[in-house]
Amino acid sequence: MRTKDSDQQLQAEDRMTIASMKQTGASVRAMARTLGRSPGTISRELTRNSCAQTGYSCRVAQERRSASRLAAMLRAPWLSLMCAARAGSSC
């Protein structure tokens, strides 16, 4: 089991694991154990990025995350300058 810092955001691979495990009927706690995360983190991810018609989609969740980060960068222009200053690092 991987261990994660509590402040680290879910990555695309984590979201794919959540989607796969959800399709197989795994519990939130099982997903959390596999990812080394809190069950609350997994539960919030599923709640925020699920809809009644299609359920959880890792692709939609990742797109929402990217849009949210872009909006945050536009609200704080200095952040994009800091990111540009870091060679080879992504925000």
Side-chain angles (χ1 to χ4, degrees):
M1 175 170 81
R2 299 183 322 202
T3 57
K4 301 263 184 166
D5 295 332
S6 61
D7 62 340
Q8 189 177 11
Q9 295 180 352
L10 290 171
Q11 301 300 311
E13 296 81 19
D14 298 329
R15 290 183 172 94
M16 285 189 276
T17 300
I18 290 169
S20 175
M21 292 182 78
K22 180 153 179 55
Q23 283 185 328
T24 63
S27 70
V28 169
R29 289 186 180 277
M31 293 179 214
R33 271 192 305 274
T34 299
L35 294 172
R37 300 289 188 149
S38 162
T41 299
I42 305 304
S43 178
R44 281 190 301 276
E45 174 69 12
L46 290 169
T47 300
R48 286 182 188 138
N49 295 304
S50 293
C51 71
Q53 291 81 20
T54 60
Y56 180 78
S57 168
C58 59
R59 182 184 54 79
V60 171
Q62 192 64 29
E63 288 172 0
R64 286 181 180 171
R65 178 214 178 247
S66 297
S68 174
R69 286 186 66 96
L70 178 60
M73 287 178 66
L74 294 175
R75 285 190 306 268
W78 56 268
L79 181 60
S80 58
L81 294 174
M82 284 179 52
C83 292
R86 286 196 233 158
S89 177
S90 63
C91 289

